[in-house]
Amino acid sequence: MAGFGHYTHAIVRGIPASLAKEALRSSQSEVDLAGARKEHEAYVQVLGTRLGLEVVELPADESLPDCVFVEDAVVVCGDTALITRPGAESRRKETEVMKAALKNLNLNIVEMTDENATLDGGDVLFTGQEFFVGLSKRTNQKGAEILADVFKDYAVSTVPVLQGLHLKSFCSMGGPGLILIGSSEHAQKTLKIMQQMSDHRYDKLTLPDDAAANCLYMNLPNKGHVLVHPTAEEYPESATVFDKLKDHMLIPVSNIEKTKVDGALTCCSVLITKRANI
Amino acid sequence: MTTEAGSETEVKEKAEESAAETDQSEKASEGAQEVTDAEGEDKEKEKEKDGKEGKGIARYLPTWLKKQKSQSQTSPTKEEPPKEESNSKDTQEEDGPVPEVNGHAEEVEEKEAVKSDEVKEQEAESHSTASADTEPAKEEKVQESAEKSPEETVVTEEGEGVEEEKKEQEGEGEKEGEEGGEEGHTSIFQSPLRLVRKSKMKLVVCRVTLLDGTDFTCEVEKRAKGQFLFFKVCEHLNLMEKDYFGLSYIDSHEQKVWLDPTKEIKRQIRSNNWQFSFNVKFYPPDPSLLTEDITRYLLCLQLREDVASGRLPCSFVTHALLGSYTLQAEVGDYEPDQPRPLDNVGQLTFAPNQNREMEEKIVELHKSHRGMTPAQADVQFLENAKKLSMYGVDLHHAKDSEGVDIMLGVCANGLLVYKDRLRINRFAWPKILKISYKRNNFYIKIRPGETEQFESTVGFKLQNHRSAKRLWKVCVENHSFFRLNAPEPPTKARFLTLGSKFRYSGRTQAQSRVASSLIDRPAPCFERTSSKRISRSLDGAPMIRITEATSENGGDPHLELHSDSKVMEVDLSPGDAEATPTQSLEASEPAPSQSPNRVHGDNIYVRHSNLMLEDHDKTQDEVLKHQASISQLKRSFMEAPPPSPPQPNQWEKRLTSSPAPTIRIQQQQQVESAPQAEDAPVAENEISDTKEPAKTAEVEIEETVVVQEVSIAPKPGLVTVTSPQEVTVEKEVVVTVETKEAKQESVSSESESEEEAEYQPNVSVSICHTQILEEEEEEEEEEEKKGVSVPDAPSLPAEVEEEPEQKNNAEEEIQAKSNDDPITTQATNGHSLPEDSAVAPEEEEEEEEEEQEEQLKMNGVASVVEAEPRLQVICCSEPPVVKTEMVTISDTFAAQKTEIATKEVPIVHTETKTITYEAAQLDGNGDGEPGVLMTAQTITSESLCTTTTTHITKTLKGGLSETRIEKRIVITGDCDIDHDQALAQAIKEAKEQHPDMSVTRVVVHKETELAEEED
């Protein structure tokens, strides 16, 4: 708990040209590939240059249109990385490069081999004290079980994802013990379930827009609480809510294009804590 | 003596509640005497109080008499003040002369034992049927009464007459006490070890497997109770904080079962295999709060075993880390020149699937622990182990209503439901209204959510009746241990009921903590068996963390206290030696703000507040490190509602004038009240400019007006207006709800068959504490809202939270299930009855006394008036609160309101006043129809000194739509708020705003904090 958000490394991946046409999406929309790449570049820049994380950039793979959304391929907690079995079949191969990259970082790698299990990292909310796994179109009970088996120290509770793609499509952590949550009915309902299931108490910050509740929280040396969040252009109402977080260093990052293919801010990176010793 | 007899019977019954031999004839008599019980209890209690007050062992033992207390407390409502006054004086007078109180703990203990003997003998006189097995209950009773605070004036209708009677008895008791004194007891802290009868009994050899794997053999009489053996083992282990432990045996079905301390061993094991094992029964949520290293060591042994066997699952890294601390504790610093360090490691089992890789990791981590003492290594081990999600979770196989295999986990916080490894539901204790089992079914009744009107019942199927019962018992025990201040008395004498009356009989965690905070012996040396390493235990280990171990910033109160006591021991004669240190402890404790020992005080407060904080590890850690948060906590601790700051002067006065034990009691009560405040850090922060009344002489007034408006017909509504001045407010309101529930309980608890039993976690006894906790829960919700509205700022949409469908999925499921369930039906049908009983408070004042009695007859205990729980709460936080006034007004009689002059009392710090207005309940709740929730919304608006919360619920019920508006206004200010005006205003407004609705309930609650009245 003490070290929650103390990330040192980030893994990101480039955007293949196939994203514009072939990436999975829940609503029909035209993606401006150049715009998406520009936004992604800015995103990576924030992580690396601005926040000083060691960024590992994986090359894009044209055969994997969704490969930029690295979050879904792995769940990292402490020194252990669980390579997932993404719910969308077209994305299963995304894990290969990821696995290699994580090996280079000397993490303990566990693979999800069970053919009945599916799990997208986007359905996994780690609060620092426990896991919530959203049971969604992409993640099933078996996948959650395997996750629980891998991260034995923590309670793993399942919550239903009633709407939206992933659990983290409408929530994320905004700090130690602070859950950012969208204001939609299903988001609020899910939060209620999470609160009921937990032995811990969480504060919540409700965002008018569900999608705006997906932010990247970090706790970095010399910077303190950092929140990378969507811009005011995208979500003007929610942007004012972020301003209430007085203790946080707020970094707005534009994510308009990737949002069209259901890519939120957390989707585009895997954050890792590598301690110097141990 | 009739009444006396009644209570005696009851006591006896309680003692035997769990005993297998339930005497039927006796039962019948109980039934007959039920009526007199109430009075009898009062008297009994008073008697005991007079006799024992200030003898302070109280806290060592369970206090389940609270139930009775609550009953008697209904009387102050309608009491005539003069009586109360005389009574309280009486109490105090009798307080004074008790001379032994300054004796050291053991001495007092003995007396206590003696006392109980005496009581027992009395009982034997009056009842030939009396069995000999009453000791534990006696102890408890005695002690419970001692626990009662002096200012909590208990008055029975019969007043003086009773008092004489009880004085007589007291005298008698003292006489008899001397002869009884020889009956020894072996434990310092606990009730005497006693065999069932003083007759020659056959001895049996018991073999107890200890946590280090060794066997302890001892002889006990064949009819000895579980307790006897347990104490013997603890004695052997030199363990004082024994409440976390227990003995288990393997029953004929190969199941591990806890040995009931109050029952004969022979009757439990039902075999000739007197083989037991000593285990941790309640895993302390925060082991750093244990007082002694030896206790932690034993806990470590248990956890090592749990981890190694896989019962406590943990990751590779955690296995390695825990193993490395074990190694440090057992073999000391890593020796680099040791030829093959891994050999050493290989001999020990750390994990179920231990391998070379893990052992290497363990050795690697071990190197980094250099310099750590065994005790410190244990602390670290526990700090890591306690974070594991399955720490302290007792798993039971079960099936859900659809026959799906699940696991039910009982733990300190409640009941967890797992499917495979996944947590699929959780029922926190405050959410649970009743636990019961019937045949192989296990049921929990769930408190309705914010928008639900009816409780639901969830049922699970267990393998067989035995496992259902075992699970039920574990739940009862865990709930009692972790949630209650004092164990609940065993089930009241219920006429013609069978089924288990099992209740937890030991000390609760709260009691245990207080008791162990008074442990006053040099840290015992003990040998670490596996390594033969003698522990150089550090006195203060409880608070030591690696980072702090070296710092001498006085951050560890315990250390200092110990040194204090050592000095004392040197200086004083043995008799005083033990009393004085305690006093010094007291002295530093309660004087947080003014005494020169300021740092001392702070720290001790922290320590105490920690006691109840297990959920908030973070807070604790911070507290231990930052003085700032310490003072914050301290403040909130002192603010524990009802605002009752400890008053240094008061404390000092007590120190000199009153017996030390009394003081200890107060400590405990303080501790009890702590969680309320502590649990609400957010709220606290927001209202952070709370003053420390000990220093200032300002007058604080709190006023709450609750107007509840409910009209039935087409559009009923419910308006609650509350106008007080602090956080406390919410609590008040919640209490109202609470009582209702309690009432419902009492009604539905009637039907039982042999194969079932139930346990209602919050019926009156527990009210004191459980309720508080429940309030917290509510408060949490409040906080959440605040938490949102604060960052969201006034104008944002998030500010108004619409929760049209608040029932979450899980709950819906539950409801669906429970509809087919007989128990649910019962519960819902029972609803009409509670409504009836709820009418009771509306009766005219004059009639209320009788009414009360009737209620007692009718419903057993629970149907206490509206106001009662409040009283309880107030009584918890001891020193300051004195003045309490409760007025109930009935619409039916058009009585507006009547005030009763409050009794005169020596110290007045806080004044609480509650006026309840209730219209005759035409409400159709009783129709048992759940209704369909249409919408629900909560609107909160806040201004500088008022907070208005409006709760609107629309339900569709049998074709009628019903709207309930509940408005709660909290007014905070330092001027006097006109009570009557506030009430009138609230009603007027409510009527104006909703002319088509009727006002069904108005509660005005006022809390005033008065300036300290120096004597």
Side-chain angles (χ1 to χ4, degrees):
Chain A
M1 182 62 199
F4 183 62
H6 288 201
Y7 301 114
T8 55
H9 292 64
I11 299 179
V12 297
R13 197 164 186 183
I15 297 181
S18 54
L19 176 122
K21 293 274 177 281
E22 292 163 48
L24 303 169
R25 65 205 77 189
S26 43
S27 58
Q28 284 304 318
S29 48
E30 286 290 305
V31 178
D32 169 10
L33 185 66
R37 285 190 165 146
K38 209 173 138 204
E39 278 175 355
H40 191 60
E41 206 172 293
Y43 175 89
V44 174
Q45 190 120 27
V46 164
L47 297 181
T49 317
R50 178 109 185 250
L51 297 174
L53 297 180
E54 200 161 306
V55 178
V56 178
E57 251 187 297
L58 306 177
D61 184 333
E62 286 301 330
S63 66
L64 300 169
D66 288 299
C67 68
V68 62
F69 304 123
V70 287
E71 176 187 48
D72 293 321
V74 66
V75 178
V76 180
C77 180
D79 297 335
T80 305
L82 170 64
I83 307 292
T84 65
R85 192 166 175 276
E89 203 151 359
S90 63
R91 300 191 59 189
R92 300 262 160 85
K93 282 193 172 354
E94 288 178 26
T95 56
E96 289 170 6
V97 187
M98 179 58 73
K99 193 168 94 184
L102 293 165
K103 271 198 177 134
N104 288 337
L105 290 170
N106 280 325
L107 293 174
N108 307 318
I109 311 273
V110 184
E111 284 185 82
M112 192 177 278
T113 47
D114 191 317
E115 301 223 328
N116 298 315
T118 61
L119 181 89
D120 273 17
D123 279 316
V124 179
L125 180 70
F126 179 62
T127 68
Q129 292 150 104
E130 63 191 312
F131 285 96
F132 291 104
V133 178
L135 298 180
S136 66
K137 296 176 194 95
R138 300 275 177 88
T139 299
N140 63 18
Q141 178 93 11
K142 192 75 201 164
E145 270 170 39
I146 291 171
L147 181 127
D149 214 37
V150 171
F151 302 105
K152 285 199 184 74
D153 293 355
Y154 299 98
V156 179
S157 307
T158 53
V159 293
V161 175
L162 306 161
Q163 268 178 50
L165 182 64
H166 285 140
L167 175 64
K168 281 196 274 189
S169 299
F170 51 82
C171 68
S172 64
M173 294 308 288
L178 174 67
I179 294 178
L180 308 180
I181 186 81
S183 57
S184 75
E185 193 185 302
H186 66 94
Q188 292 292 323
K189 209 164 165 177
T190 304
L191 177 72
K192 277 237 147 48
I193 296 173
M194 292 198 283
Q195 285 171 330
Q196 189 199 321
M197 300 272 259
S198 176
D199 295 324
H200 305 279
R201 183 122 56 82
Y202 297 104
D203 296 326
K204 63 166 178 177
L205 180 65
T206 309
L207 283 309
D209 307 285
D210 273 6
N214 182 296
C215 302
L216 275 179
Y217 167 78
M218 280 167 255
N219 188 350
L220 301 175
N222 305 323
K223 296 191 177 60
H225 303 292
V226 177
L227 194 73
V228 179
H229 64 87
T231 57
E233 292 88 74
E234 291 165 88
Y235 309 105
E237 275 185 283
S238 298
T240 56
V241 178
F242 290 121
D243 291 338
K244 310 289 174 208
L245 294 169
K246 299 285 180 221
D247 295 339
H248 288 56
M249 174 195 263
L250 296 170
I251 305 177
V253 170
S254 176
N255 194 37
I256 296 167
E257 295 304 323
K258 280 179 285 181
T259 307
K260 292 175 184 169
V261 284
D262 302 317
L265 287 174
T266 59
C267 300
C268 306
S269 60
V270 174
L271 300 178
I272 295 161
T273 309
K274 290 242 358 130
R275 271 162 285 180
N277 48 0
I278 295 185
Chain B
M1 281 302 262
T2 7
T3 50
E4 181 63 25
S7 58
E8 289 285 21
T9 316
E10 209 210 320
V11 165
K12 184 181 50 186
E13 192 240 340
K14 277 169 183 154
E16 290 178 342
E17 118 271 346
S18 47
E21 76 276 22
T22 326
D23 186 336
Q24 277 299 8
S25 65
E26 186 188 304
K27 268 216 149 164
S29 79
E30 278 159 25
Q33 281 164 351
E34 212 171 17
V35 179
T36 48
D37 271 356
E39 318 164 21
E41 276 159 24
D42 283 348
K43 282 201 244 164
E44 179 77 13
K45 189 177 46 177
E46 264 188 292
K47 175 190 97 183
E48 292 292 346
K49 186 169 94 185
D50 288 355
K52 300 291 154 67
E53 196 133 70
K55 280 206 193 165
I57 329 157
R59 79 206 57 88
Y60 303 147
L61 297 164
T63 62
W64 40 258
L65 246 87
K66 284 224 163 115
K67 195 167 206 167
Q68 297 169 0
K69 179 155 95 188
S70 67
Q71 280 182 345
S72 67
Q73 273 185 345
T74 54
S75 49
T77 351
K78 19 152 187 183
E79 206 99 57
E80 288 159 84
K83 256 192 214 165
E84 272 189 49
E85 198 178 320
S86 69
N87 204 325
S88 64
K89 267 185 211 152
D90 214 318
T91 315
Q92 279 166 358
E93 279 164 12
E94 288 181 22
D95 247 3
V98 183
E100 322 82 45
V101 277
N102 283 327
H104 62 81
E106 267 173 274
E107 200 180 310
V108 179
E109 193 91 34
E110 260 163 55
K111 297 226 166 77
E112 199 62 47
V114 159
K115 216 72 192 207
S116 70
D117 270 355
E118 161 259 304
V119 180
K120 175 181 136 204
E121 260 143 288
Q122 276 185 5
E123 180 190 275
E125 281 163 30
S126 50
H127 296 278
S128 49
T129 50
S131 109
D133 306 344
T134 45
E135 293 89 346
K138 282 287 151 54
E139 295 277 346
E140 286 160 6
K141 179 183 66 184
V142 158
Q143 173 254 325
E144 144 72 354
S145 55
E147 186 121 339
K148 251 156 237 145
S149 50
E151 98 286 332
E152 176 207 328
T153 18
V154 186
V155 187
T156 47
E157 285 78 41
E158 306 90 81
E160 294 82 33
V162 183
E163 228 143 292
E164 284 162 30
E165 205 174 291
K166 89 196 154 206
K167 270 179 213 160
E168 271 176 43
Q169 283 167 2
E170 201 186 320
E172 204 185 328
E174 246 132 71
K175 260 180 269 153
E176 284 184 28
E178 280 145 41
E179 45 178 273
E182 63 214 32
E183 281 211 39
H185 48 86
T186 31
S187 141
I188 297 185
F189 262 171
Q190 200 84 17
S191 50
L193 294 178
R194 239 170 309 137
L195 299 179
V196 180
R197 275 185 202 282
K198 294 171 217 162
S199 55
K200 300 128 221 147
M201 273 290 189
K202 277 184 195 157
L203 294 176
V204 190
V205 176
C206 296
R207 183 164 287 120
V208 182
T209 307
L210 303 177
L211 288 167
D212 58 12
T214 59
D215 271 2
F216 166 70
T217 317
C218 72
E219 284 189 333
V220 299
E221 286 187 14
K222 208 170 182 182
R223 291 191 58 194
K225 289 183 183 169
Q227 215 164 357
F228 182 86
L229 180 60
F230 179 64
F231 288 156
K232 277 221 158 190
V233 176
C234 292
E235 201 180 28
H236 168 77
L237 291 168
N238 201 7
L239 172 67
M240 287 177 94
E241 294 174 286
K242 53 171 90 79
D243 303 294
Y244 301 93
F245 302 85
L247 291 177
S248 63
Y249 62 95
I250 305 295
D251 70 6
S252 50
H253 305 273
E254 300 289 305
Q255 289 287 345
K256 189 185 125 180
V257 185
W258 291 110
L259 190 67
D260 188 332
T262 62
K263 289 197 213 165
E264 285 182 24
I265 299 170
K266 185 169 61 104
R267 289 174 181 274
Q268 299 182 61
I269 57 171
R270 292 175 188 280
S271 75
N272 285 325
N273 185 15
W274 291 62
Q275 171 78 46
F276 306 90
S277 78
F278 177 84
N279 289 110
V280 173
K281 187 174 187 183
F282 304 110
Y283 289 75
D286 191 347
S288 68
L289 294 176
L290 294 172
T291 299
E292 297 202 296
D293 288 339
I294 188 167
T295 320
R296 263 186 294 274
Y297 167 65
L298 292 171
L299 178 58
C300 278
L301 289 180
Q302 174 75 67
L303 286 165
R304 284 179 201 168
E305 158 70 15
D306 291 348
V307 168
S309 68
R311 258 197 312 277
L312 179 57
C314 49
S315 64
F316 176 87
V317 180
T318 307
H319 270 306
L321 189 62
L322 294 178
S324 68
Y325 287 123
T326 300
L327 216 51
Q328 180 71 24
E330 296 295 345
V331 306
D333 290 349
Y334 170 77
E335 297 291 343
D337 37 335
Q338 194 181 325
R340 281 180 296 169
L342 282 179
D343 290 354
N344 209 342
V345 186
Q347 288 161 15
L348 297 163
T349 312
F350 299 100
N353 45 359
Q354 190 168 326
N355 53 23
R356 197 76 181 167
E357 189 194 1
M358 182 176 289
E359 286 167 11
E360 278 165 11
K361 185 82 177 168
I362 289 172
V363 171
E364 183 192 329
L365 290 168
H366 181 205
K367 291 178 193 166
S368 66
H369 304 325
R370 176 166 294 280
M372 210 180 272
T373 66
Q376 287 169 330
D378 282 350
V379 168
Q380 286 306 310
F381 178 96
L382 295 173
E383 283 302 297
N384 284 282
K386 76 171 187 194
K387 289 184 201 149
L388 295 169
S389 79
M390 297 306 280
Y391 172 84
V393 179
D394 183 14
L395 287 176
H396 298 251
H397 285 282
K399 286 185 196 304
D400 68 8
S401 57
E402 283 142 28
V404 177
D405 280 318
I406 52 163
M407 296 286 265
L408 293 174
V410 185
C411 69
N413 294 323
L415 192 64
L416 303 164
V417 187
Y418 295 91
K419 185 171 179 298
D420 299 308
R421 290 197 162 279
L422 300 170
R423 188 185 287 184
I424 54 169
N425 213 339
R426 171 180 177 267
F427 303 98
W429 290 128
K431 262 278 197 186
I432 299 177
L433 290 170
K434 189 166 85 179
I435 312 165
S436 55
Y437 73 95
K438 188 172 187 175
R439 291 188 291 276
N440 64 336
N441 294 307
F442 173 77
Y443 301 102
I444 50 174
K445 192 197 274 183
I446 311 296
R447 179 181 302 283
E450 287 163 48
T451 55
E452 301 154 318
Q453 291 189 324
F454 299 96
E455 55 265 23
S456 50
T457 300
V458 189
F460 302 97
K461 277 217 181 318
L462 279 98
Q463 211 173 3
N464 50 41
H465 165 243
R466 279 191 323 277
S467 25
K469 183 173 185 179
R470 200 172 60 239
L471 171 60
W472 177 78
K473 277 187 163 188
V474 169
C475 283
V476 169
E477 293 189 316
N478 272 270
H479 174 268
S480 301
F481 185 79
F482 290 110
R483 297 300 282 186
L484 302 187
N485 280 330
E488 188 176 357
T491 332
K492 284 276 300 179
R494 275 180 294 168
F495 188 52
L496 279 179
T497 50
L498 302 162
S500 174
K501 282 179 281 166
F502 173 82
R503 289 296 179 266
Y504 175 62
S505 58
R507 285 195 293 224
T508 64
Q509 178 172 244
Q511 290 171 323
S512 182
R513 281 173 174 176
V514 174
S516 49
S517 72
L518 298 168
I519 289 179
D520 192 19
R521 60 174 181 182
C525 280
F526 54 91
E527 190 180 66
R528 291 171 182 267
T529 1
S530 61
S531 62
K532 303 288 174 216
R533 217 178 157 205
I534 301 291
S535 176
R536 305 164 270 150
S537 65
L538 308 163
D539 288 342
M543 295 301 188
I544 287 187
R545 272 133 221 272
I546 290 212
T547 43
E548 287 160 4
T550 44
S551 74
E552 357 78 292
N553 58 359
D556 180 2
H558 198 68
L559 262 172
E560 309 224 2
L561 290 174
H562 261 271
S563 54
D564 273 357
S565 56
K566 272 173 201 149
V567 172
M568 294 301 183
E569 269 162 19
V570 174
D571 288 347
L572 296 166
S573 64
D576 293 338
E578 298 203 36
T580 330
T582 340
Q583 287 194 349
S584 71
L585 179 149
E586 251 102 55
S588 54
E589 222 159 315
S593 43
Q594 289 183 339
S595 95
N597 296 338
R598 171 145 193 173
V599 178
H600 246 245
D602 282 345
N603 288 329
I604 290 165
Y605 268 105
V606 169
R607 188 188 161 113
H608 275 239
S609 11
N610 278 347
L611 293 186
M612 297 306 196
L613 267 179
E614 17 338 298
D615 292 352
H616 311 291
D617 296 336
K618 189 184 70 182
T619 325
Q620 273 176 39
D621 291 343
E622 278 166 7
V623 159
L624 290 167
K625 282 162 194 157
H626 308 300
Q627 199 63 23
S629 39
I630 284 174
S631 55
Q632 171 71 40
L633 274 172
K634 186 189 77 187
R635 214 181 308 132
S636 49
F637 174 55
M638 293 196 305
E639 296 260 333
S644 51
Q647 306 243 333
N649 293 330
Q650 208 43 52
W651 288 110
E652 270 146 32
K653 198 185 78 194
R654 278 165 199 268
L655 267 186
T656 49
S657 67
S658 80
T662 320
I663 296 170
R664 293 190 204 152
I665 290 167
Q666 282 151 2
Q667 286 175 345
Q668 180 185 14
Q669 278 161 337
Q670 287 232 339
V671 172
E672 286 163 4
S673 65
Q676 311 172 37
E678 297 300 350
D679 252 327
V682 179
E684 225 71 54
N685 287 341
E686 277 160 14
I687 316 171
S688 61
D689 64 334
T690 38
K691 39 221 145 185
E692 297 186 15
K695 289 181 191 166
T696 57
E698 56 196 11
V699 182
E700 250 183 55
I701 299 142
E702 273 197 27
E703 182 127 349
T704 316
V705 184
V706 181
V707 181
Q708 263 186 341
E709 215 184 66
V710 182
S711 79
I712 255 228
K715 276 190 190 171
L718 182 126
V719 181
T720 312
V721 186
T722 319
S723 62
Q725 307 206 267
E726 263 179 18
V727 204
T728 1
V729 180
E730 285 100 6
K731 280 162 196 152
E732 161 59 18
V733 180
V734 178
V735 168
T736 318
V737 177
E738 176 68 25
T739 326
K740 254 194 186 167
E741 274 150 359
K743 281 176 209 153
Q744 293 164 2
E745 289 317 322
S746 64
V747 178
S748 57
S749 65
E750 243 59 27
S751 63
E752 264 191 307
S753 78
E754 256 178 26
E755 297 283 277
E756 67 184 66
E758 50 187 34
Y759 171 72
Q760 295 157 8
N762 28 338
V763 193
S764 4
V765 201
S766 46
I767 268 180
C768 187
H769 195 68
T770 311
Q771 199 163 33
I772 289 168
L773 294 156
E774 266 130 30
E775 287 154 19
E776 284 161 26
E777 279 258 315
E778 300 282 334
E779 253 195 339
E780 282 174 33
E781 312 253 286
E782 291 286 331
E783 279 170 44
E784 277 160 28
K785 278 167 201 156
K786 276 183 203 161
V788 179
S789 56
V790 169
D792 280 353
S795 58
L796 285 165
E799 233 245 297
V800 177
E801 291 197 278
E802 288 204 314
E803 307 168 75
E805 264 195 273
Q806 283 174 325
K807 283 187 287 180
N808 57 35
N809 251 7
E811 273 165 339
E812 278 168 355
E813 268 175 44
I814 290 154
Q815 206 122 44
K817 279 178 216 159
S818 58
N819 280 342
D820 327 321
D821 190 310
I823 295 238
T824 326
T825 340
Q826 180 200 354
T828 21
N829 288 343
H831 211 79
S832 60
L833 281 162
E835 292 305 335
D836 291 344
S837 64
V839 178
E842 300 165 24
E843 298 299 324
E844 282 248 62
E845 306 259 331
E846 296 90 304
E847 288 174 28
E848 226 172 270
E849 279 183 26
E850 293 153 14
E851 181 69 20
Q852 211 71 48
E853 280 181 41
E854 239 179 84
Q855 276 197 346
L856 294 173
K857 283 183 242 162
M858 260 167 37
N859 289 339
V861 211
S863 58
V864 253
V865 201
E866 191 68 51
E868 190 257 311
R870 189 59 191 164
L871 276 172
Q872 286 272 9
V873 173
I874 290 161
C875 292
C876 288
S877 59
E878 220 237 313
V881 189
V882 193
K883 241 171 148 184
T884 306
E885 198 175 300
M886 207 62 72
V887 185
T888 309
I889 307 155
S890 156
D891 193 36
T892 344
F893 293 91
Q896 257 315 299
K897 68 202 70 95
T898 322
E899 290 196 15
I900 298 173
T902 347
K903 61 223 162 177
E904 290 237 342
V905 270
I907 321 128
V908 179
H909 300 300
T910 313
E911 185 182 335
T912 314
K913 195 168 166 187
T914 303
I915 298 184
T916 311
Y917 163 102
E918 274 194 77
Q921 299 234 352
L922 313 159
D923 199 332
N925 278 357
D927 61 12
E929 216 181 307
V932 181
L933 180 72
M934 306 283 289
T935 60
Q937 68 182 128
T938 305
I939 302 164
T940 313
S941 67
E942 260 177 291
S943 71
L944 206 59
C945 58
T946 53
T947 308
T948 310
T949 312
T950 312
H951 199 73
I952 305 172
T953 328
K954 282 192 184 164
T955 33
L956 191 60
K957 209 188 220 177
L960 293 178
S961 100
E962 176 184 296
T963 309
R964 282 172 165 262
I965 303 173
E966 189 175 321
K967 201 176 258 180
R968 177 192 300 167
I969 303 170
V970 179
I971 305 172
T972 315
D974 6 315
C975 59
D976 199 2
I977 294 164
D978 187 343
H979 225 213
D980 308 346
Q981 206 193 326
L983 178 69
Q985 185 68 25
I987 300 174
K988 194 170 150 238
E989 273 178 22
K991 283 188 169 155
E992 273 172 11
Q993 285 174 13
H994 308 280
D996 53 342
M997 291 182 167
S998 61
V999 178
T1000 54
R1001 235 163 93 71
V1002 181
V1003 179
V1004 181
H1005 178 72
K1006 173 182 172 184
E1007 275 193 50
T1008 315
E1009 201 166 300
L1010 300 174
E1012 183 186 347
E1013 284 176 19
E1014 298 286 15
D1015 353 24

